[in-house]
Amino acid sequence: MNRPTDFPATRDEVCVVAIAEAFRGDGEILCNPIGTTPIIGGRLARATFEPTMVVTDAVAVLAANILPVGDDDAERLVEAWMPYRDVFDVVWSGRRHIVMGASQIDAHGNQNLAAIGDWRRPKAQLLGLRGAPGNLTNHVTTYWIPNHSTRSFVATVDLVSGPGYDRVAPLSAFIRANHEIRRVVSNLAVLDFENPGEPDTPRRMRLRSVHPGVTVDEVVKATGFALDLPDEVPESRLPTLEELHLIREVLDPQGLRKAEFGG
Amino acid sequence: MSEDDVIAQLSSGMTIGIGGWGSRRKPMSLVRAIARSELTDLTIVCYGGPEVGILSALGKVRRAVYGFVSLDSIPLEPHFRQARQQGSIEVTELDEGAFYLGLLAGAHRVPFYPTRAGLGSDMLLMNPDLATVTSPYPDADGAYEELVAIPAFQLDASLVHMNRADSAGNGQFLGPDLYFDDLFAKAASATYLSCEKVVETGELLDEGSLHTIKIPRIFVDGVVESPRGAHFTECPPDYGRDEAFQRTYAATAKDPDAWKVFVDRWLEAPSHTEYLERLDSEAGKSA
C-alpha cells in the first residue's frame, strides 16, 4: 500500500476513495453521485480505474473531461445532452449507479430520505422520496452517510424511500435481479451486503472495513442495530499518491469536501 | 394577455400544473398573480420549487402533487417544510420518475402508465389510492409481473414559462433543459405560456435551433409577455437565479414579520411591471 507520509491522507480523502471503489467494475454506465463527496469519488473512479463510465453534470450534459467539483465555469468537453427526462430513461434502462444520502438506514438497507416522524404530519420534512423508489427497483445504489451515529443507522426507519433487501425479497424476479445496494460509505467505515447469510433470509449490513483511526467497537457503538461482523475487519484503503494528487489538485482544489467533515 | 387575464380564466378548486423544475424557469409572474388573487383550494402539480412554498404559505393550496419540492441551492423549501410540519396541505408525493409517467399518461389520454417505482418503498403507503396492475404478458420464467399504475394527471390548466414565443403560442426554450413543460402543456385542458419575449414567428430560429421550439401552439391557449417572469428562479440564458433574493425569501419562513413584509412588497405588487420597478429600485439602492 502506498503511504504518502509527506502528505498523509485525511478522513475525507479516505471516504472519497471508498466511494470511488464502489464504482469499480461498473464499466460503461452512468455514474451519478449526488453531493460533494460522492461527486469527487465518482469522478476519481472515472479518472483512474473506470475510464469508460459516463459522468453527469449539473447542467444537463455528460462531460467527457475530468471536471473540478463546484466549478460552474469549468470548460466542458460535452459528449452528450442529458436533460432530466433522459435521466429517467437511463434509470429505467438499468445502466446507472447512483450515490445518494440517507437520513436513516436500517440493517437491511432500507433508506429514509423523506421525513422524520409520521409522514402525514412529519416532525421534520426532509428531501422526500425523490427518485429512490425508481432507483432501487432498477439499478445499483450506494449510500453516503457523513454522520455515522445511532440516529442515522437505526433499528427501524420512519419511512422507506429506497427499499432494502427485506422489502425487495417478495418482489418480482426482475426487481430482485436489478436491486443492489453496493456499499454504504460513512465517515467511520465502509459497509456492504456481501455476506451470504442464511438461505431465505434477507441480506443484512456487514462491516467491510473501518477507516484508519477508527475501531470496530466505535462503529458498533455508533450503529443502532447489530452489524454483521467478520472475524477480521480490514482498514479502508488509503488513497494512492496519484489519487491524492487528483483529489487535491484536480477534482476539488477548493477543498469543498471538507465542509461535510466540519472543516 | 396579461397575468391577470390568465387568472380570470382560472377558478378555485382547479388542478393546475406548473412547469419548470425546482427553482428553475418557474412561471413566477403567474404564480404571483395567483398569490394576489382570490383563488383558493387549488391542487398544484409540479416538480416543485418556490411556487409550492409561496402558495401553501398563503393558504391557496389544498393539495400538492409533486416529484419533489426544492430550491436547488437551498435543498429544503422552507415554506413547504413548514406547511408539511403544520399539516396545512394534503400531499401526493411520488417518485420523480413516476411523476413523469403521470404527466405522460395525461398527455396521451391513457388511464395510467406502469412502473416498478414504488414497489417495496413507502410510496404506496403514502398514496393509498395508487393501485397496481398485473402484466398481461409473462416474463421469461412465465411469471406475470405486478407493476404500479401511475394514474394520468388531469390538469384543468398548466402554466409554463419559456424564453421565447410567438404571439400564436409557439414556445421556445433556449436553456439546457426543457424539463417537462411540453408535457404539462399537452396534459392540460388549457395552457397559459409566459415568456421572456414575444417575437415574430419568423424570428424563432434567430436565437435557437429547430429543436428548441418544443411547444406548438395547438397546446397553448394564451401567451403572456413577461420579461424576467421567472425571477427569482433561473431562466438561462436570459438570466441566472437571484440567489440573494431566494435567500431572503427562504429566511421569511422563520420570521413572520419578514414574511409579511415579503408578501406586501413582492407577492402583492399589483402587476408584474410594478414588481420589476420595485426590483430595479432595490437594485439601485444596493448599488
Side-chain angles (χ1 to χ4, degrees), chain A residues 81 83-85 119 121 124-125 128-131 134 160 167 172 174, chain B residues 21 81 84-85 93 95-96 116 120-122 145 176-177 179 182:
Chain A
W81 183 36
Y84 281 110
R85 196 176 311 185
W119 65 270
R121 185 178 171 179
Q125 171 69 39
L129 298 170
R130 300 291 316 223
V160 176
R167 291 281 198 117
S172 70
F174 179 99
Chain B
W21 172 279
R81 256 196 125 186
R84 285 285 287 131
Q85 290 165 194
E93 180 167 317
D95 168 80
E96 294 173 10
R116 297 187 179 92
S121 80
D122 278 338
E145 190 173 1
D177 201 326
Y179 311 117
D182 55 332

PDB file of all heavy atoms in Angstrom, chain A residues 81 83-85 119 121 124-125 128-131 134 160 167 172 174, chain B residues 21 81 84-85 93 95-96 116 120-122 145 176-177 179 182:
ATOM      1  N   TRP A  81     -26.031  15.266 -24.567  1.00  0.00           N
ATOM      2  CA  TRP A  81     -27.034  16.075 -23.865  1.00  0.00           C
ATOM      3  C   TRP A  81     -27.819  15.133 -22.958  1.00  0.00           C
ATOM      4  O   TRP A  81     -28.240  14.062 -23.393  1.00  0.00           O
ATOM      5  CB  TRP A  81     -27.953  16.728 -24.904  1.00  0.00           C
ATOM      6  CG  TRP A  81     -28.985  17.651 -24.334  1.00  0.00           C
ATOM      7  CD1 TRP A  81     -28.857  18.486 -23.271  1.00  0.00           C
ATOM      8  CD2 TRP A  81     -30.329  17.839 -24.831  1.00  0.00           C
ATOM      9  NE1 TRP A  81     -30.031  19.195 -23.078  1.00  0.00           N
ATOM     10  CE2 TRP A  81     -30.949  18.811 -24.013  1.00  0.00           C
ATOM     11  CE3 TRP A  81     -31.065  17.281 -25.881  1.00  0.00           C
ATOM     12  CZ2 TRP A  81     -32.263  19.239 -24.217  1.00  0.00           C
ATOM     13  CZ3 TRP A  81     -32.370  17.709 -26.080  1.00  0.00           C
ATOM     14  CH2 TRP A  81     -32.958  18.678 -25.253  1.00  0.00           C
ATOM     15  N   PRO A  83     -30.765  15.941 -20.554  1.00  0.00           N
ATOM     16  CA  PRO A  83     -31.772  16.637 -19.748  1.00  0.00           C
ATOM     17  C   PRO A  83     -32.434  15.659 -18.795  1.00  0.00           C
ATOM     18  O   PRO A  83     -32.295  14.441 -18.929  1.00  0.00           O
ATOM     19  CB  PRO A  83     -32.753  17.163 -20.793  1.00  0.00           C
ATOM     20  CG  PRO A  83     -32.606  16.252 -21.958  1.00  0.00           C
ATOM     21  CD  PRO A  83     -31.172  15.798 -21.953  1.00  0.00           C
ATOM     22  N   TYR A  84     -33.178  16.177 -17.811  1.00  0.00           N
ATOM     23  CA  TYR A  84     -33.722  15.310 -16.762  1.00  0.00           C
ATOM     24  C   TYR A  84     -34.595  14.186 -17.318  1.00  0.00           C
ATOM     25  O   TYR A  84     -34.593  13.076 -16.802  1.00  0.00           O
ATOM     26  CB  TYR A  84     -34.508  16.130 -15.732  1.00  0.00           C
ATOM     27  CG  TYR A  84     -33.589  16.819 -14.762  1.00  0.00           C
ATOM     28  CD1 TYR A  84     -33.428  18.195 -14.771  1.00  0.00           C
ATOM     29  CD2 TYR A  84     -32.843  16.080 -13.854  1.00  0.00           C
ATOM     30  CE1 TYR A  84     -32.560  18.820 -13.889  1.00  0.00           C
ATOM     31  CE2 TYR A  84     -31.977  16.689 -12.973  1.00  0.00           C
ATOM     32  CZ  TYR A  84     -31.833  18.066 -12.992  1.00  0.00           C
ATOM     33  OH  TYR A  84     -30.963  18.670 -12.119  1.00  0.00           O
ATOM     34  N   ARG A  85     -35.350  14.489 -18.382  1.00  0.00           N
ATOM     35  CA  ARG A  85     -36.229  13.441 -18.913  1.00  0.00           C
ATOM     36  C   ARG A  85     -35.408  12.227 -19.346  1.00  0.00           C
ATOM     37  O   ARG A  85     -35.801  11.092 -19.131  1.00  0.00           O
ATOM     38  CB  ARG A  85     -37.024  13.978 -20.088  1.00  0.00           C
ATOM     39  CG  ARG A  85     -38.201  13.078 -20.425  1.00  0.00           C
ATOM     40  CD  ARG A  85     -39.065  13.647 -21.524  1.00  0.00           C
ATOM     41  NE  ARG A  85     -39.404  15.048 -21.274  1.00  0.00           N
ATOM     42  CZ  ARG A  85     -40.239  15.742 -22.045  1.00  0.00           C
ATOM     43  NH1 ARG A  85     -40.808  15.173 -23.085  1.00  0.00           N
ATOM     44  NH2 ARG A  85     -40.503  17.006 -21.773  1.00  0.00           N
ATOM     45  N   TRP A 119     -45.404  10.443   8.507  1.00  0.00           N
ATOM     46  CA  TRP A 119     -45.316  11.141   7.215  1.00  0.00           C
ATOM     47  C   TRP A 119     -46.509  12.062   6.965  1.00  0.00           C
ATOM     48  O   TRP A 119     -46.425  13.010   6.209  1.00  0.00           O
ATOM     49  CB  TRP A 119     -45.192  10.132   6.067  1.00  0.00           C
ATOM     50  CG  TRP A 119     -46.409   9.267   5.898  1.00  0.00           C
ATOM     51  CD1 TRP A 119     -46.650   8.064   6.486  1.00  0.00           C
ATOM     52  CD2 TRP A 119     -47.566   9.565   5.110  1.00  0.00           C
ATOM     53  NE1 TRP A 119     -47.876   7.598   6.125  1.00  0.00           N
ATOM     54  CE2 TRP A 119     -48.462   8.487   5.268  1.00  0.00           C
ATOM     55  CE3 TRP A 119     -47.938  10.628   4.275  1.00  0.00           C
ATOM     56  CZ2 TRP A 119     -49.712   8.454   4.636  1.00  0.00           C
ATOM     57  CZ3 TRP A 119     -49.169  10.593   3.644  1.00  0.00           C
ATOM     58  CH2 TRP A 119     -50.047   9.506   3.832  1.00  0.00           C
ATOM     59  N   ARG A 121     -47.933  14.141   8.984  1.00  0.00           N
ATOM     60  CA  ARG A 121     -47.568  15.459   9.500  1.00  0.00           C
ATOM     61  C   ARG A 121     -46.213  15.307  10.178  1.00  0.00           C
ATOM     62  O   ARG A 121     -46.123  15.155  11.396  1.00  0.00           O
ATOM     63  CB  ARG A 121     -48.631  15.964  10.486  1.00  0.00           C
ATOM     64  CG  ARG A 121     -48.331  17.373  10.940  1.00  0.00           C
ATOM     65  CD  ARG A 121     -49.376  17.912  11.879  1.00  0.00           C
ATOM     66  NE  ARG A 121     -48.888  19.178  12.429  1.00  0.00           N
ATOM     67  CZ  ARG A 121     -49.579  19.917  13.263  1.00  0.00           C
ATOM     68  NH1 ARG A 121     -50.769  19.540  13.671  1.00  0.00           N
ATOM     69  NH2 ARG A 121     -49.069  21.037  13.719  1.00  0.00           N
ATOM     70  N   ALA A 124     -40.167  16.393  11.031  1.00  0.00           N
ATOM     71  CA  ALA A 124     -39.232  17.093  10.141  1.00  0.00           C
ATOM     72  C   ALA A 124     -39.437  16.591   8.717  1.00  0.00           C
ATOM     73  O   ALA A 124     -39.254  15.401   8.438  1.00  0.00           O
ATOM     74  CB  ALA A 124     -37.793  16.853  10.585  1.00  0.00           C
ATOM     75  N   GLN A 125     -39.855  17.491   7.850  1.00  0.00           N
ATOM     76  CA  GLN A 125     -39.937  17.158   6.430  1.00  0.00           C
ATOM     77  C   GLN A 125     -38.522  17.203   5.865  1.00  0.00           C
ATOM     78  O   GLN A 125     -37.836  18.210   5.959  1.00  0.00           O
ATOM     79  CB  GLN A 125     -40.838  18.171   5.707  1.00  0.00           C
ATOM     80  CG  GLN A 125     -40.832  18.061   4.182  1.00  0.00           C
ATOM     81  CD  GLN A 125     -41.503  16.789   3.678  1.00  0.00           C
ATOM     82  OE1 GLN A 125     -42.514  16.356   4.221  1.00  0.00           O
ATOM     83  NE2 GLN A 125     -40.925  16.182   2.651  1.00  0.00           N
ATOM     84  N   GLY A 128     -37.707  14.042   0.832  1.00  0.00           N
ATOM     85  CA  GLY A 128     -38.822  13.344   0.187  1.00  0.00           C
ATOM     86  C   GLY A 128     -38.370  12.013  -0.385  1.00  0.00           C
ATOM     87  O   GLY A 128     -37.236  11.575  -0.176  1.00  0.00           O
ATOM     88  N   LEU A 129     -39.270  11.374  -1.095  1.00  0.00           N
ATOM     89  CA  LEU A 129     -38.922  10.087  -1.713  1.00  0.00           C
ATOM     90  C   LEU A 129     -37.890  10.282  -2.812  1.00  0.00           C
ATOM     91  O   LEU A 129     -37.086   9.394  -3.096  1.00  0.00           O
ATOM     92  CB  LEU A 129     -40.175   9.442  -2.334  1.00  0.00           C
ATOM     93  CG  LEU A 129     -41.333   9.092  -1.395  1.00  0.00           C
ATOM     94  CD1 LEU A 129     -42.563   8.705  -2.203  1.00  0.00           C
ATOM     95  CD2 LEU A 129     -40.930   7.935  -0.477  1.00  0.00           C
ATOM     96  N   ARG A 130     -37.946  11.482  -3.436  1.00  0.00           N
ATOM     97  CA  ARG A 130     -37.102  11.821  -4.600  1.00  0.00           C
ATOM     98  C   ARG A 130     -37.152  10.664  -5.613  1.00  0.00           C
ATOM     99  O   ARG A 130     -38.219  10.162  -5.903  1.00  0.00           O
ATOM    100  CB  ARG A 130     -35.659  12.151  -4.154  1.00  0.00           C
ATOM    101  CG  ARG A 130     -35.562  13.338  -3.198  1.00  0.00           C
ATOM    102  CD  ARG A 130     -35.870  14.712  -3.775  1.00  0.00           C
ATOM    103  NE  ARG A 130     -35.336  15.063  -5.048  1.00  0.00           N
ATOM    104  CZ  ARG A 130     -34.788  16.229  -5.355  1.00  0.00           C
ATOM    105  NH1 ARG A 130     -34.639  17.166  -4.431  1.00  0.00           N
ATOM    106  NH2 ARG A 130     -34.398  16.499  -6.578  1.00  0.00           N
ATOM    107  N   GLY A 131     -35.996  10.242  -6.135  1.00  0.00           N
ATOM    108  CA  GLY A 131     -36.034   9.172  -7.129  1.00  0.00           C
ATOM    109  C   GLY A 131     -35.763   7.799  -6.559  1.00  0.00           C
ATOM    110  O   GLY A 131     -35.629   6.827  -7.299  1.00  0.00           O
ATOM    111  N   GLY A 134     -37.701   4.488  -7.648  1.00  0.00           N
ATOM    112  CA  GLY A 134     -37.345   4.031  -9.000  1.00  0.00           C
ATOM    113  C   GLY A 134     -35.910   3.541  -9.083  1.00  0.00           C
ATOM    114  O   GLY A 134     -35.616   2.544  -9.741  1.00  0.00           O
ATOM    115  N   VAL A 160     -39.787   4.503   4.292  1.00  0.00           N
ATOM    116  CA  VAL A 160     -38.860   3.878   3.347  1.00  0.00           C
ATOM    117  C   VAL A 160     -38.918   4.603   1.999  1.00  0.00           C
ATOM    118  O   VAL A 160     -39.913   4.522   1.284  1.00  0.00           O
ATOM    119  CB  VAL A 160     -39.174   2.379   3.158  1.00  0.00           C
ATOM    120  CG1 VAL A 160     -38.264   1.776   2.091  1.00  0.00           C
ATOM    121  CG2 VAL A 160     -39.021   1.634   4.474  1.00  0.00           C
ATOM    122  N   ARG A 167     -37.462  -5.771   2.000  1.00  0.00           N
ATOM    123  CA  ARG A 167     -38.622  -5.258   1.273  1.00  0.00           C
ATOM    124  C   ARG A 167     -38.658  -5.780  -0.166  1.00  0.00           C
ATOM    125  O   ARG A 167     -39.719  -5.867  -0.778  1.00  0.00           O
ATOM    126  CB  ARG A 167     -38.565  -3.719   1.216  1.00  0.00           C
ATOM    127  CG  ARG A 167     -38.777  -3.029   2.557  1.00  0.00           C
ATOM    128  CD  ARG A 167     -40.264  -2.992   2.880  1.00  0.00           C
ATOM    129  NE  ARG A 167     -40.579  -2.008   3.900  1.00  0.00           N
ATOM    130  CZ  ARG A 167     -41.368  -0.952   3.685  1.00  0.00           C
ATOM    131  NH1 ARG A 167     -41.899  -0.726   2.494  1.00  0.00           N
ATOM    132  NH2 ARG A 167     -41.635  -0.119   4.663  1.00  0.00           N
ATOM    133  N   SER A 172     -40.777  -8.971  -7.683  1.00  0.00           N
ATOM    134  CA  SER A 172     -40.579  -9.749  -8.911  1.00  0.00           C
ATOM    135  C   SER A 172     -39.125 -10.156  -9.132  1.00  0.00           C
ATOM    136  O   SER A 172     -38.194  -9.549  -8.588  1.00  0.00           O
ATOM    137  CB  SER A 172     -41.053  -8.938 -10.117  1.00  0.00           C
ATOM    138  OG  SER A 172     -40.174  -7.836 -10.347  1.00  0.00           O
ATOM    139  N   PHE A 174     -37.478  -9.652 -11.750  1.00  0.00           N
ATOM    140  CA  PHE A 174     -36.795  -8.517 -12.386  1.00  0.00           C
ATOM    141  C   PHE A 174     -36.220  -7.587 -11.317  1.00  0.00           C
ATOM    142  O   PHE A 174     -35.058  -7.194 -11.368  1.00  0.00           O
ATOM    143  CB  PHE A 174     -37.761  -7.736 -13.293  1.00  0.00           C
ATOM    144  CG  PHE A 174     -37.107  -6.547 -13.958  1.00  0.00           C
ATOM    145  CD1 PHE A 174     -36.665  -6.636 -15.271  1.00  0.00           C
ATOM    146  CD2 PHE A 174     -36.910  -5.345 -13.273  1.00  0.00           C
ATOM    147  CE1 PHE A 174     -36.049  -5.543 -15.882  1.00  0.00           C
ATOM    148  CE2 PHE A 174     -36.293  -4.260 -13.872  1.00  0.00           C
ATOM    149  CZ  PHE A 174     -35.863  -4.362 -15.181  1.00  0.00           C
TER     150      PHE A 174
ATOM    151  N   TRP B  21     -38.661  23.314 -12.925  1.00  0.00           N
ATOM    152  CA  TRP B  21     -38.062  22.225 -12.140  1.00  0.00           C
ATOM    153  C   TRP B  21     -37.360  22.847 -10.942  1.00  0.00           C
ATOM    154  O   TRP B  21     -36.412  23.623 -11.139  1.00  0.00           O
ATOM    155  CB  TRP B  21     -37.074  21.462 -13.040  1.00  0.00           C
ATOM    156  CG  TRP B  21     -36.216  20.423 -12.392  1.00  0.00           C
ATOM    157  CD1 TRP B  21     -35.082  20.629 -11.696  1.00  0.00           C
ATOM    158  CD2 TRP B  21     -36.416  18.998 -12.444  1.00  0.00           C
ATOM    159  NE1 TRP B  21     -34.558  19.423 -11.293  1.00  0.00           N
ATOM    160  CE2 TRP B  21     -35.346  18.402 -11.740  1.00  0.00           C
ATOM    161  CE3 TRP B  21     -37.396  18.169 -13.007  1.00  0.00           C
ATOM    162  CZ2 TRP B  21     -35.229  17.026 -11.590  1.00  0.00           C
ATOM    163  CZ3 TRP B  21     -37.258  16.793 -12.859  1.00  0.00           C
ATOM    164  CH2 TRP B  21     -36.185  16.229 -12.161  1.00  0.00           C
ATOM    165  N   ARG B  81     -41.769  23.014   3.817  1.00  0.00           N
ATOM    166  CA  ARG B  81     -41.460  22.240   5.032  1.00  0.00           C
ATOM    167  C   ARG B  81     -42.396  22.591   6.158  1.00  0.00           C
ATOM    168  O   ARG B  81     -42.945  21.734   6.850  1.00  0.00           O
ATOM    169  CB  ARG B  81     -40.049  22.618   5.503  1.00  0.00           C
ATOM    170  CG  ARG B  81     -39.021  21.603   5.189  1.00  0.00           C
ATOM    171  CD  ARG B  81     -37.767  21.841   5.991  1.00  0.00           C
ATOM    172  NE  ARG B  81     -37.439  20.633   6.726  1.00  0.00           N
ATOM    173  CZ  ARG B  81     -36.472  20.544   7.599  1.00  0.00           C
ATOM    174  NH1 ARG B  81     -35.754  21.612   7.907  1.00  0.00           N
ATOM    175  NH2 ARG B  81     -36.229  19.400   8.212  1.00  0.00           N
ATOM    176  N   ARG B  84     -45.875  21.307   5.597  1.00  0.00           N
ATOM    177  CA  ARG B  84     -45.927  19.869   5.880  1.00  0.00           C
ATOM    178  C   ARG B  84     -45.942  19.624   7.385  1.00  0.00           C
ATOM    179  O   ARG B  84     -46.696  18.789   7.881  1.00  0.00           O
ATOM    180  CB  ARG B  84     -44.721  19.162   5.253  1.00  0.00           C
ATOM    181  CG  ARG B  84     -44.806  18.998   3.761  1.00  0.00           C
ATOM    182  CD  ARG B  84     -45.787  17.886   3.372  1.00  0.00           C
ATOM    183  NE  ARG B  84     -45.252  16.549   3.647  1.00  0.00           N
ATOM    184  CZ  ARG B  84     -45.917  15.593   4.289  1.00  0.00           C
ATOM    185  NH1 ARG B  84     -47.124  15.811   4.734  1.00  0.00           N
ATOM    186  NH2 ARG B  84     -45.365  14.402   4.468  1.00  0.00           N
ATOM    187  N   GLN B  85     -45.084  20.332   8.104  1.00  0.00           N
ATOM    188  CA  GLN B  85     -44.936  20.073   9.531  1.00  0.00           C
ATOM    189  C   GLN B  85     -46.131  20.609  10.324  1.00  0.00           C
ATOM    190  O   GLN B  85     -46.419  20.131  11.411  1.00  0.00           O
ATOM    191  CB  GLN B  85     -43.596  20.643  10.027  1.00  0.00           C
ATOM    192  CG  GLN B  85     -42.430  19.833   9.481  1.00  0.00           C
ATOM    193  CD  GLN B  85     -41.050  20.463   9.576  1.00  0.00           C
ATOM    194  OE1 GLN B  85     -40.126  19.993   8.939  1.00  0.00           O
ATOM    195  NE2 GLN B  85     -40.907  21.514  10.364  1.00  0.00           N
ATOM    196  N   GLU B  93     -47.146  12.599  -2.821  1.00  0.00           N
ATOM    197  CA  GLU B  93     -45.710  12.588  -3.074  1.00  0.00           C
ATOM    198  C   GLU B  93     -45.374  11.356  -3.898  1.00  0.00           C
ATOM    199  O   GLU B  93     -45.656  10.230  -3.479  1.00  0.00           O
ATOM    200  CB  GLU B  93     -44.941  12.577  -1.745  1.00  0.00           C
ATOM    201  CG  GLU B  93     -43.430  12.558  -1.925  1.00  0.00           C
ATOM    202  CD  GLU B  93     -42.678  12.870  -0.630  1.00  0.00           C
ATOM    203  OE1 GLU B  93     -43.088  13.795   0.092  1.00  0.00           O
ATOM    204  OE2 GLU B  93     -41.708  12.162  -0.343  1.00  0.00           O
ATOM    205  N   ASP B  95     -42.492   9.252  -6.555  1.00  0.00           N
ATOM    206  CA  ASP B  95     -41.154   9.100  -7.111  1.00  0.00           C
ATOM    207  C   ASP B  95     -41.030  10.057  -8.302  1.00  0.00           C
ATOM    208  O   ASP B  95     -41.988  10.241  -9.060  1.00  0.00           O
ATOM    209  CB  ASP B  95     -40.991   7.644  -7.557  1.00  0.00           C
ATOM    210  CG  ASP B  95     -39.764   7.421  -8.419  1.00  0.00           C
ATOM    211  OD1 ASP B  95     -38.666   7.308  -7.857  1.00  0.00           O
ATOM    212  OD2 ASP B  95     -39.909   7.369  -9.663  1.00  0.00           O
ATOM    213  N   GLU B  96     -39.844  10.648  -8.485  1.00  0.00           N
ATOM    214  CA  GLU B  96     -39.660  11.654  -9.540  1.00  0.00           C
ATOM    215  C   GLU B  96     -39.997  11.110 -10.927  1.00  0.00           C
ATOM    216  O   GLU B  96     -40.575  11.809 -11.758  1.00  0.00           O
ATOM    217  CB  GLU B  96     -38.211  12.149  -9.544  1.00  0.00           C
ATOM    218  CG  GLU B  96     -37.833  12.909  -8.289  1.00  0.00           C
ATOM    219  CD  GLU B  96     -36.346  13.233  -8.236  1.00  0.00           C
ATOM    220  OE1 GLU B  96     -35.640  13.032  -9.248  1.00  0.00           O
ATOM    221  OE2 GLU B  96     -35.878  13.695  -7.191  1.00  0.00           O
ATOM    222  N   ARG B 116     -42.148   0.211 -12.086  1.00  0.00           N
ATOM    223  CA  ARG B 116     -41.760  -0.552 -10.895  1.00  0.00           C
ATOM    224  C   ARG B 116     -41.509   0.377  -9.705  1.00  0.00           C
ATOM    225  O   ARG B 116     -41.425  -0.087  -8.571  1.00  0.00           O
ATOM    226  CB  ARG B 116     -40.506  -1.377 -11.181  1.00  0.00           C
ATOM    227  CG  ARG B 116     -40.728  -2.421 -12.266  1.00  0.00           C
ATOM    228  CD  ARG B 116     -39.551  -3.354 -12.434  1.00  0.00           C
ATOM    229  NE  ARG B 116     -39.846  -4.337 -13.466  1.00  0.00           N
ATOM    230  CZ  ARG B 116     -39.554  -4.198 -14.762  1.00  0.00           C
ATOM    231  NH1 ARG B 116     -38.909  -3.124 -15.183  1.00  0.00           N
ATOM    232  NH2 ARG B 116     -39.887  -5.134 -15.630  1.00  0.00           N
ATOM    233  N   GLY B 120     -42.055  -1.920  -2.918  1.00  0.00           N
ATOM    234  CA  GLY B 120     -41.057  -2.098  -1.862  1.00  0.00           C
ATOM    235  C   GLY B 120     -40.828  -0.852  -1.028  1.00  0.00           C
ATOM    236  O   GLY B 120     -40.405  -0.938   0.112  1.00  0.00           O
ATOM    237  N   SER B 121     -41.102   0.340  -1.574  1.00  0.00           N
ATOM    238  CA  SER B 121     -40.915   1.571  -0.798  1.00  0.00           C
ATOM    239  C   SER B 121     -42.240   1.948  -0.142  1.00  0.00           C
ATOM    240  O   SER B 121     -43.257   1.276  -0.328  1.00  0.00           O
ATOM    241  CB  SER B 121     -40.427   2.712  -1.688  1.00  0.00           C
ATOM    242  OG  SER B 121     -41.517   3.280  -2.388  1.00  0.00           O
ATOM    243  N   ASP B 122     -42.248   3.070   0.592  1.00  0.00           N
ATOM    244  CA  ASP B 122     -43.488   3.517   1.233  1.00  0.00           C
ATOM    245  C   ASP B 122     -44.304   4.463   0.351  1.00  0.00           C
ATOM    246  O   ASP B 122     -45.244   5.091   0.833  1.00  0.00           O
ATOM    247  CB  ASP B 122     -43.182   4.173   2.587  1.00  0.00           C
ATOM    248  CG  ASP B 122     -43.013   3.123   3.677  1.00  0.00           C
ATOM    249  OD1 ASP B 122     -43.521   1.998   3.498  1.00  0.00           O
ATOM    250  OD2 ASP B 122     -42.368   3.422   4.702  1.00  0.00           O
ATOM    251  N   GLU B 145     -45.785 -10.163 -13.964  1.00  0.00           N
ATOM    252  CA  GLU B 145     -45.230  -9.191 -13.022  1.00  0.00           C
ATOM    253  C   GLU B 145     -46.264  -8.162 -12.575  1.00  0.00           C
ATOM    254  O   GLU B 145     -47.058  -7.675 -13.377  1.00  0.00           O
ATOM    255  CB  GLU B 145     -44.038  -8.478 -13.670  1.00  0.00           C
ATOM    256  CG  GLU B 145     -43.250  -7.636 -12.674  1.00  0.00           C
ATOM    257  CD  GLU B 145     -41.959  -7.067 -13.264  1.00  0.00           C
ATOM    258  OE1 GLU B 145     -41.676  -7.299 -14.448  1.00  0.00           O
ATOM    259  OE2 GLU B 145     -41.246  -6.374 -12.496  1.00  0.00           O
ATOM    260  N   PRO B 176     -30.542  24.828 -21.147  1.00  0.00           N
ATOM    261  CA  PRO B 176     -30.065  23.459 -21.340  1.00  0.00           C
ATOM    262  C   PRO B 176     -31.145  22.386 -21.205  1.00  0.00           C
ATOM    263  O   PRO B 176     -30.920  21.251 -21.622  1.00  0.00           O
ATOM    264  CB  PRO B 176     -29.014  23.295 -20.239  1.00  0.00           C
ATOM    265  CG  PRO B 176     -29.397  24.292 -19.191  1.00  0.00           C
ATOM    266  CD  PRO B 176     -30.026  25.439 -19.917  1.00  0.00           C
ATOM    267  N   ASP B 177     -32.281  22.712 -20.623  1.00  0.00           N
ATOM    268  CA  ASP B 177     -33.255  21.650 -20.325  1.00  0.00           C
ATOM    269  C   ASP B 177     -34.674  22.193 -20.467  1.00  0.00           C
ATOM    270  O   ASP B 177     -35.006  23.229 -19.899  1.00  0.00           O
ATOM    271  CB  ASP B 177     -33.031  21.139 -18.876  1.00  0.00           C
ATOM    272  CG  ASP B 177     -33.604  19.743 -18.647  1.00  0.00           C
ATOM    273  OD1 ASP B 177     -34.648  19.422 -19.245  1.00  0.00           O
ATOM    274  OD2 ASP B 177     -33.005  18.990 -17.847  1.00  0.00           O
ATOM    275  N   TYR B 179     -37.072  20.553 -19.286  1.00  0.00           N
ATOM    276  CA  TYR B 179     -37.783  19.886 -18.193  1.00  0.00           C
ATOM    277  C   TYR B 179     -38.999  19.187 -18.798  1.00  0.00           C
ATOM    278  O   TYR B 179     -38.848  18.523 -19.829  1.00  0.00           O
ATOM    279  CB  TYR B 179     -38.112  20.855 -17.049  1.00  0.00           C
ATOM    280  CG  TYR B 179     -36.901  21.649 -16.640  1.00  0.00           C
ATOM    281  CD1 TYR B 179     -36.846  23.043 -16.760  1.00  0.00           C
ATOM    282  CD2 TYR B 179     -35.751  20.996 -16.201  1.00  0.00           C
ATOM    283  CE1 TYR B 179     -35.703  23.745 -16.435  1.00  0.00           C
ATOM    284  CE2 TYR B 179     -34.601  21.699 -15.871  1.00  0.00           C
ATOM    285  CZ  TYR B 179     -34.588  23.069 -15.999  1.00  0.00           C
ATOM    286  OH  TYR B 179     -33.453  23.764 -15.691  1.00  0.00           O
ATOM    287  N   ASP B 182     -43.384  20.738 -22.049  1.00  0.00           N
ATOM    288  CA  ASP B 182     -44.233  20.340 -23.183  1.00  0.00           C
ATOM    289  C   ASP B 182     -45.309  19.361 -22.713  1.00  0.00           C
ATOM    290  O   ASP B 182     -46.459  19.425 -23.158  1.00  0.00           O
ATOM    291  CB  ASP B 182     -43.389  19.723 -24.298  1.00  0.00           C
ATOM    292  CG  ASP B 182     -42.542  18.555 -23.819  1.00  0.00           C
ATOM    293  OD1 ASP B 182     -42.172  18.514 -22.624  1.00  0.00           O
ATOM    294  OD2 ASP B 182     -42.248  17.651 -24.631  1.00  0.00           O
TER     295      ASP B 182
END
